[in-house]
Amino acid sequence: MGEQLGQLKIIVVQGKRLVIRDFKSSDPYVVLKLGNQTAKTKVINSCLNPVWNEELNFTLAQPLGVLNLEVFDKDLLKSDDKMGNAFLNLQPLVSAARLRDILGVSSGETTLRKVIPDNENCLVRESSINCVNGEVVQNVWLRLRGVESGEVELTIKLVKNVAK
């Protein structure tokens, strides 16, 4: 790993309209990957609109990676079924953190940047990156790829950032 940029706290908030992978429902969980780091949420049984509200932590370092997300259906007797995947480019978040440092923003709430859906991310809608009491925070809805439907909401916080 290269230069450390800070701690990335990712709250997997909820899923909406996830696909059915069992008879009538699914038992979803989320796996997040950043470089060689991996973390996963707990399984929510029999739910297509799960609420996790689970915080997963990563170390953010150069070279900057892409956050990859996969949703799976937990199965007991066979391998877990894929329920879709998504990704998010973290460069806008890191750029916003550098802007926070340059501007010296440390209290209150300030919008640093807006990110629009494009081929560099799986955003459902525009997302703002804000500085909230010194922390850089982005709330996103990601559209799952490779499936008929499904979205996952994340709140991403860059807790400690060292400006270059």
Side-chain angles (χ1 to χ4, degrees), residues 129-148:
I129 301 174
N130 301 309
C131 180
V132 181
N133 296 322
E135 290 185 337
V136 178
V137 180
Q138 182 179 18
N139 191 57
V140 296
W141 277 96
L142 299 177
R143 178 171 286 114
L144 297 177
R145 302 179 307 158
V147 288
E148 307 83 59

Side-chain angles (χ1 to χ4, degrees), residues 90-163:
L90 295 174
Q91 186 60 54
L93 187 75
V94 172
S95 296
R98 288 190 179 121
L99 179 61
R100 173 209 55 195
D101 294 342
I102 291 167
L103 296 176
V105 179
S106 61
S107 63
E109 185 169 338
T110 305
T111 298
L112 298 170
R113 183 171 184 172
K114 292 190 183 290
V115 183
I116 59 171
D118 63 18
N119 61 0
E120 294 293 316
N121 58 52
C122 292
L123 292 177
V124 172
R125 61 184 71 90
E126 184 178 275
S127 171
S128 293
I129 301 174
N130 301 309
C131 180
V132 181
N133 296 322
E135 290 185 337
V136 178
V137 180
Q138 182 179 18
N139 191 57
V140 296
W141 277 96
L142 299 177
R143 178 171 286 114
L144 297 177
R145 302 179 307 158
V147 288
E148 307 83 59
S149 68
E151 299 172 1
V152 174
E153 181 185 12
L154 304 176
T155 299
I156 304 164
K157 296 179 183 180
L158 183 52
V159 175
K160 180 183 137 201
N161 185 47
V162 180

Side-chain angles (χ1 to χ4, degrees), residues 47-113:
C47 190
L48 299 178
N49 295 295
V51 176
W52 287 283
N53 276 328
E54 208 168 318
E55 185 178 291
L56 306 173
N57 295 299
F58 295 89
T59 299
L60 189 60
Q62 292 283 14
L64 200 56
V66 170
L67 179 68
N68 289 293
L69 175 146
E70 290 183 278
V71 181
F72 293 94
D73 170 44
K74 182 72 176 166
D75 286 323
L76 295 177
L77 303 175
K78 57 183 179 126
S79 61
D80 295 350
D81 297 315
K82 293 182 179 184
M83 295 178 68
N85 65 75
F87 66 93
L88 183 67
N89 181 352
L90 295 174
Q91 186 60 54
L93 187 75
V94 172
S95 296
R98 288 190 179 121
L99 179 61
R100 173 209 55 195
D101 294 342
I102 291 167
L103 296 176
V105 179
S106 61
S107 63
E109 185 169 338
T110 305
T111 298
L112 298 170
R113 183 171 184 172

